[in-house]
Amino acid sequence: MQTRNIPVVGMACAACAANVEKKLNAIPGVASASVSLPSRTALVEWDETVVTPEDMKREINAIGFDLVVEADRSVEEIERREYTLLRRKVLLSWAGSLLVMAITMGWINLGGRDSSNQTALIVALAILLYCGREFYVRAWKQLTHRTASMDTLVALSTGISFIFSAFNTFWGDQVWGSRGIEWHTYYDASVMIITFVLTGRLLEQHARKSTASAIRQLMGMTPKTARLYRGEQTADDGTKTPVIEEVPISTITVGDQIEVQAGDHIPVDGKVRWATSFMTADGAYVDESMITGEPSPVLKSGGSEVLAGTIVSQGRLRLRATKTGSDTALSQIIRMVEQAQGSKAPVQRTVDRISRWFVPVVAVLSLLTFLLWWAIGGSAALPHAILSAVAVLVIACPCALGLATPTSLMVGIGQAARHNILIKDATALERIRKVDAMVIDKTGTLTIPNPAIDFTRADDLPFEERETLKPHAREAVEELRRMGVEVHMMSGDKEEAAAYWASKVGITHYKSRVQPQDKEQLVRDLQASGKCVAMVGDGINDSQALALADVSIAMGRGTDVAIDVAQMTLMGDDLRRIPEALTLSQRTVGMIRQNLFWAFIYNLVCIPLAAGLPRLAGIDMQITPTWASALMAFSSLSVVLNSLRLKLKG
């Protein structure tokens, strides 16, 4: 089985993402697929003996979208070209729309109604075919596969208003004028719908770049080139000088020797061969804060391990590469954040089910709106009936509904990464706010073992000297208790040692001489009493309890087993990140609720106004198709901008 986050091109609304997800999950060999609209990615798990990424790409192409599975295709370049093309279309669409509006409003006199309407028809047709072409192409492809999206609504609304206007241009006098009915053309409405939708998507794309800034910041830690050591060159006088060649990072292999100077990022994971600085002849200082969160530079000498993305703050060093490319710790962190941002919280799956039915329901509401006004007013009300139906198609927006949850989660997970909290899936971020009981392992989690102590003879040395309390551990526990979390410490140590460290950190609930199964049993007992339980640990002996807990948190310096099992990983030793995670979860879920509330309210209020229902009560209030398109674009943008407020809160 293979798991990969695959970029998706062409999605613009929640229904688009739902269609891509449904299509991927229907492909034989695909075990699961989760599509994220804000990140424009699909997290896919598949059996490579049954299906290939190229097969998936062909299936997705058939419904109007694209998967970037080729190694030589740059997602950044595709997005840059798409943004440039979209900006050009927006400018042309605005220019053409203003021209059409000036013609239809009579601001420009072209010598008569017929010539004005025919000119407006030509300009509008050019805008629809060039600026709006993708709406019609994707809508047709989706129709042939019995799916629908926001493209369907835009294609229907603009197509209906344009065709009705074209009909009036050539046969308006014969059909309507002969019956004494005043008629108009609505080319301005059709082109303004395209213009506002494209403008909204342009602004949304611009704002969306900020939601992915955490990933870009992590990616920016890896340099593009490295200084490769090629050996030494002997001069005529016998002096030897090192031969250093600057090469692309992609050419570095395990075993290569690389030199890194002060101020440069270390390009790969490696082991130091030698290091020197003005402060010490046999060591250099490396800033690891972006990986571990620890503010003080760490002294690295021969034999020390260094990580890609960290910075040599003083001196210079030469290292032997042990992990390169996608195998480095930084690359694994990036993958973890990308997959977490692409994962879905439980509430999002409910919203996805609603979004799948949203477009068909809106199409039915539009048809009912048309039939209602036609039945009330007869032929004379036909223009009003058509415009009301078009307004309903345009204003009903599944985009805001679909963006409400994933955009907030994407920003929240990115903020967590900035605070050195790595979250594996969105469920953990949503759930940790409910935690009211926390089980914490002692050694390696609350305390740092003394490397000079022989732990096989631990019962023979004073326990006060055996380990050191981690910085801010007591402060973190006090904050958790203030937030209403009941903290339990579990230790395999003897009773005296466990009691001593529990008192040092301010924990009243503790157990000593526990086995792995005892930690698991405590988690079970707390859950049975109705608690939402988080487990914090760093060792293999914590993995059973980590797997059982409602939320599992591993220390970044812990074992690979603990980190693999855990839903969250804390980089470094600062336990204050645990209450920070709870606070971030509360803010993120609060933002999701705000977004969903306004998305639902928007549709509940605007659809009846677009349908003209207040007129039935004698209130002259209705939203035109042009205003409907502007409001629809604003609703999507407002969700993204509201989610970005999470970044302002730190």
Side-chain angles (χ1 to χ4, degrees):
M1 300 297 291
Q2 294 287 322
T3 302
R4 182 175 157 194
N5 225 25
I6 304 175
V8 185
V9 177
M11 295 191 303
C13 71
C16 299
N19 288 338
V20 173
E21 183 171 295
K22 183 179 179 182
K23 189 68 173 178
L24 284 171
N25 281 305
I27 299 173
V30 174
S32 65
S34 175
V35 177
S36 169
L37 177 59
S39 63
R40 268 59 174 182
T41 58
L43 182 60
V44 188
E45 183 182 6
W46 75 94
D47 185 343
E48 59 182 349
T49 64
V50 178
V51 67
T52 66
E54 288 72 21
D55 296 331
M56 292 185 272
K57 178 185 176 73
R58 282 192 294 273
E59 293 292 325
I60 297 305
N61 285 160
I63 59 172
F65 305 99
D66 190 20
L67 296 182
V68 183
V69 299
E70 302 87 351
D72 58 347
R73 285 182 75 191
S74 166
V75 178
E76 292 76 15
E77 180 62 22
I78 292 172
E79 290 181 344
R80 188 190 65 80
R81 286 202 305 267
E82 276 194 338
Y83 186 81
T84 302
L85 179 61
L86 180 58
R87 186 170 56 187
R88 184 186 308 139
K89 286 183 176 181
V90 167
L91 292 174
L92 289 173
S93 186
W94 271 109
S97 297
L98 292 175
L99 177 59
V100 170
M101 186 174 291
I103 293 171
T104 56
M105 294 292 184
W107 301 338
I108 297 178
N109 187 1
L110 296 177
R113 187 178 189 180
D114 290 343
S115 58
S116 294
N117 284 335
Q118 290 167 13
T119 303
L121 183 152
I122 295 170
V123 177
L125 184 61
I127 294 173
L128 298 183
L129 292 180
Y130 178 72
C131 299
R133 178 179 178 275
E134 290 180 357
F135 294 115
Y136 306 109
V137 171
R138 280 199 287 262
W140 174 252
K141 286 184 176 181
Q142 290 159 19
L143 179 63
T144 59
H145 286 78
R146 297 179 181 178
T147 62
S149 69
M150 191 64 203
D151 296 317
T152 309
L153 300 182
V154 173
L156 276 175
S157 58
T158 56
I160 291 171
S161 57
F162 178 83
I163 291 171
F164 183 61
S165 298
F167 176 86
N168 285 352
T169 297
F170 296 105
W171 297 287
D173 283 330
Q174 296 94 314
V175 176
W176 310 115
S178 61
R179 302 178 186 178
I181 300 174
E182 186 178 356
W183 59 271
H184 301 278
T185 58
Y186 305 97
Y187 296 115
D188 54 338
S190 62
V191 294
M192 286 305 294
I193 290 169
I194 294 290
T195 300
F196 277 121
V197 172
L198 291 178
T199 302
R201 290 186 179 180
L202 181 69
L203 294 172
E204 183 189 323
Q205 277 195 29
H206 184 74
R208 187 166 57 86
K209 291 179 182 178
S210 297
T211 66
S213 59
I215 290 290
R216 290 200 304 274
Q217 185 179 357
L218 289 170
M219 289 179 171
M221 294 178 185
T222 304
K224 304 297 182 187
T225 60
R227 291 166 51 83
L228 181 64
Y229 172 71
R230 294 286 194 185
E232 293 183 331
Q233 182 177 0
T234 305
D236 294 338
D237 59 0
T239 58
K240 295 182 178 181
T241 56
V243 178
I244 305 295
E245 180 184 356
E246 191 160 324
V247 298
I249 189 67
S250 58
T251 64
I252 300 296
T253 59
V254 173
D256 285 345
Q257 294 190 46
I258 299 166
E259 283 202 12
V260 189
Q261 299 176 330
D264 291 342
H265 284 85
I266 294 175
V268 295
D269 290 358
K271 188 164 285 189
V272 176
R273 297 290 298 253
W274 59 261
T276 184
S277 69
F278 70 88
M279 296 184 69
T280 175
D282 59 352
Y285 286 88
V286 176
D287 180 359
E288 296 183 328
S289 59
M290 65 284 297
I291 300 293
T292 66
E294 307 298 337
S296 302
V298 180
L299 180 65
K300 300 289 183 178
S301 54
S304 298
E305 292 185 349
V306 290
L307 300 176
T310 57
I311 302 172
V312 177
S313 55
Q314 290 181 13
R316 63 191 181 95
L317 56 82
R318 183 183 299 166
L319 61 93
R320 182 180 64 83
T322 56
K323 291 182 180 179
T324 64
S326 60
D327 294 328
T328 65
L330 178 61
S331 295
Q332 292 171 7
I333 290 172
I334 291 172
R335 275 200 302 276
M336 187 185 293
V337 176
E338 283 181 330
Q339 291 185 5
Q341 289 185 329
S343 63
K344 293 187 177 181
V347 66
Q348 177 61 24
R349 302 196 180 278
T350 303
V351 173
D352 285 348
R353 286 194 291 271
I354 295 172
S355 298
R356 263 192 208 108
W357 289 99
F358 196 92
V359 173
V361 168
V362 168
V364 171
L365 289 176
S366 175
L367 178 61
L368 291 176
T369 299
F370 171 77
L371 294 175
L372 172 67
W373 288 113
W374 194 16
I376 292 174
S379 298
L382 190 60
H384 174 71
I386 291 175
L387 287 181
S388 298
V390 167
V392 170
L393 286 173
V394 174
I395 205 162
C397 181
C399 307
L401 195 61
L403 287 167
T405 299
T407 305
S408 298
L409 288 172
M410 193 171 181
V411 177
I413 291 168
Q415 284 297 95
R418 286 194 185 89
H419 288 80
N420 300 101
I421 306 167
L422 300 183
I423 299 174
K424 281 188 180 178
D425 63 79
T427 302
L429 181 61
E430 183 183 13
R431 187 181 293 163
I432 193 173
R433 68 188 174 88
K434 299 178 181 178
V435 166
D436 53 6
M438 189 168 292
V439 179
I440 300 181
D441 172 57
K442 178 178 73 71
T443 307
T445 303
L446 284 172
T447 63
I448 303 172
N450 186 342
I453 298 298
D454 180 3
F455 274 79
T456 62
R457 300 172 54 84
D459 285 343
D460 301 331
L461 295 160
F463 55 76
E464 296 93 337
E465 299 176 7
R466 288 171 62 199
E467 46 200 330
T468 306
L469 192 66
K470 285 188 176 180
H472 311 298
R474 186 178 183 91
E475 185 180 342
V477 170
E478 288 176 352
E479 180 63 15
L480 287 170
R481 292 173 63 184
R482 188 190 65 79
M483 298 174 77
V485 179
E486 185 180 284
V487 182
H488 297 254
M489 188 189 83
M490 302 289 278
S491 174
D493 216 335
K494 58 186 179 181
E495 172 64 22
E496 296 89 343
Y500 173 80
W501 292 112
S503 64
K504 288 280 285 186
V505 81
I507 294 176
T508 55
H509 305 282
Y510 70 90
K511 287 188 178 182
S512 60
R513 296 193 183 276
V514 297
Q515 299 296 316
Q517 59 269 26
D518 298 322
K519 297 178 182 180
E520 178 186 355
Q521 189 58 48
L522 176 60
V523 172
R524 288 188 186 277
D525 292 343
L526 289 170
Q527 289 174 330
S529 68
K531 300 283 189 181
C532 182
V533 184
M535 172 67 195
V536 188
D538 73 318
I540 295 175
N541 61 343
D542 299 317
S543 57
Q544 292 174 239
L546 286 168
L548 181 64
D550 297 292
V551 178
S552 49
I553 305 171
M555 305 305 294
R557 299 184 190 275
T559 64
D560 290 342
V561 174
I563 293 172
D564 286 344
V565 171
Q567 297 166 305
M568 291 185 175
T569 302
L570 305 184
M571 305 303 293
D573 292 320
D574 193 343
L575 293 172
R576 290 178 300 178
R577 296 190 185 109
I578 298 176
E580 282 179 8
L582 269 70
T583 301
L584 183 60
S585 173
Q586 292 167 355
R587 289 175 179 168
T588 303
V589 173
M591 194 64 70
I592 290 171
R593 288 173 174 169
Q594 286 181 28
N595 286 343
L596 287 175
F597 173 79
W598 289 113
F600 277 112
I601 289 296
Y602 164 83
N603 284 292
L604 284 174
V605 172
C606 290
I607 290 177
L609 288 177
L613 294 186
R615 288 192 170 190
L616 296 178
I619 302 172
D620 189 13
M621 180 186 296
Q622 186 170 8
I623 298 174
T624 65
T626 300
W627 277 109
S629 58
L631 288 170
M632 186 271 290
F634 175 75
S635 68
S636 300
L637 182 62
S638 64
V639 166
V640 177
L641 294 177
N642 190 46
S643 299
L644 287 174
R645 290 198 301 115
L646 280 170
K647 298 177 70 173
L648 301 178
K649 297 181 179 180

